[in-house]
């Protein structure tokens, strides 16, 4: 819990308008690509809750939506790569076109695991839309069909992204002060 979350922000990386303008561009491309068969959007909780809500409303198609809760960070700042399913899909994705919606791809370990898990369920296709990606932090290469922004290798918070469950509802993406997570 932070008394004043804004004071823990080193600098704002992406403000609200910048984020929403980019989401509109991504949504237009998704609507074009899936015009023949609207996708099932799979939001990866908790972090993707915010971007899922905004991105879905920029896609002018009758999409289906479902959510999975997975976690590989806990309260730290580095992915363990060990992914736990906290809440599974309620939808049978066999023969469906699936679009995973993520807030951020950092090491890529969560998404690598998730892609393998979903592809084992017999879908017609599984692709990825991510608001943020940290190219310098990648430990595995992932083919991401829709990326909002490539950002520096710094720990960011806001717009769904947390540090130890704080800062998720900041309306922008900011860089967290190191003093917050370094003793
Ligand atoms: O590319 P990676 O290094 O795997 O990191 C990316 C993942 O880590 C964060 O989720 P987290 O596990 O913190 O759970 P949360 O979404 O509930 O915060 C984030 O929301 C991504 O899902
Ligand atoms: Mg997290």
């Amino acid at each position: 819990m932070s008394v004043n979350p804004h004071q823990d922000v080193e600098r704002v990386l992406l403000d609200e308008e910048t984020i929403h303008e980019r989401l509109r561009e991504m949504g237009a491309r998704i609507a074009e690509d899936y015009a023949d068969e609207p996708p099932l959007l799979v939001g990866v909780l908790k972090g993707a809750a915010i971007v899922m809500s905004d991105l879905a409303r920029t896609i002018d198609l009758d999409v289906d939506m479902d959510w999975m809760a997975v976690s590989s960070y806990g309260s730290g700042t580095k992915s363990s790569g060990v992914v736990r399913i906290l809440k599974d899909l309620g939808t049978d994705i066999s023969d469906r076109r699936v679009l995973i919606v993520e807030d951020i791809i950092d090491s890529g370990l969560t998404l690598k695991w998730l892609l393998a898990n979903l592809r084992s369920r017999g879908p017609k296709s599984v692709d990825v839309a991510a608001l943020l990606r940290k190219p310098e932090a990648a430990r595995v290469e992932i083919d991401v069909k829709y990326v909002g922004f490539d950002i520096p290798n710094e720990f960011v918070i806001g717009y769904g992204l947390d540090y130890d469950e704080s800062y998720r509802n900041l309306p922008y993406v900011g860089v967290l002060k190191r003093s917050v997570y370094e003793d």
Side-chain angles (χ1 to χ4, degrees), residues 119-131:
R119 284 177 173 152
S120 72
R121 305 186 194 195
K124 187 180 289 181
S125 64
V126 184
D127 286 289
V128 180
L131 179 70

Side-chain angles (χ1 to χ4, degrees), residues 1-53:
M1 178 66 69
S2 169
V3 174
N4 181 337
H6 299 281
Q7 287 177 349
D8 296 339
V9 176
E10 182 73 47
R11 71 183 190 281
V12 174
L13 204 57
L14 300 165
D15 65 21
E16 282 184 272
E17 183 41 43
T18 304
I19 293 170
H20 288 103
E21 182 185 344
R22 183 63 183 136
L23 289 179
R24 284 192 291 271
E25 292 168 0
M26 293 168 74
R29 276 190 54 215
I30 293 166
E32 267 179 44
D33 295 348
Y34 290 88
D36 61 327
E37 187 176 345
L40 166 70
L41 303 180
V42 171
V44 186
L45 296 173
K46 296 178 187 176
I50 310 281
V51 62
M52 174 76 145
S53 166

Side-chain angles (χ1 to χ4, degrees), residues 7-140:
Q7 287 177 349
D8 296 339
V9 176
E10 182 73 47
R11 71 183 190 281
V12 174
L13 204 57
L14 300 165
D15 65 21
E16 282 184 272
E17 183 41 43
T18 304
I19 293 170
H20 288 103
E21 182 185 344
R22 183 63 183 136
L23 289 179
R24 284 192 291 271
E25 292 168 0
M26 293 168 74
R29 276 190 54 215
I30 293 166
E32 267 179 44
D33 295 348
Y34 290 88
D36 61 327
E37 187 176 345
L40 166 70
L41 303 180
V42 171
V44 186
L45 296 173
K46 296 178 187 176
I50 310 281
V51 62
M52 174 76 145
S53 166
D54 287 338
L55 177 63
R57 284 179 287 162
T58 70
I59 303 170
D60 192 14
L61 292 176
D62 182 19
V63 298
D64 291 341
M65 297 164 77
D66 202 343
W67 287 264
M68 271 183 93
V70 297
S71 188
S72 59
Y73 267 78
S75 60
T77 59
K78 286 291 171 208
S79 176
S80 64
V82 175
V83 181
R84 288 177 294 126
I85 294 185
L86 306 179
K87 175 220 172 286
D88 204 344
L89 294 176
T91 311
D92 172 4
I93 66 169
S94 53
D95 204 31
R96 295 293 303 269
R97 298 193 72 189
V98 174
L99 183 60
I100 296 172
V101 177
E102 259 290 27
D103 50 355
I104 191 168
I105 303 167
D106 195 312
S107 71
L109 292 171
T110 300
L111 206 47
K112 180 176 183 338
W113 178 91
L114 192 56
L115 280 166
N117 182 284
L118 295 187
R119 284 177 173 152
S120 72
R121 305 186 194 195
K124 187 180 289 181
S125 64
V126 184
D127 286 289
V128 180
L131 179 70
L132 307 174
R133 179 173 60 182
K134 291 185 192 173
E136 294 162 46
R139 288 169 56 188
V140 286

Side-chain angles (χ1 to χ4, degrees), residues 46-47 71-74 76 103 155 160-165 168:
K46 296 178 187 176
S71 188
S72 59
Y73 267 78
D103 50 355
F155 197 81
L161 290 146
D162 76 302
Y163 173 69
D164 202 12
E165 298 305 330
R168 288 193 197 277

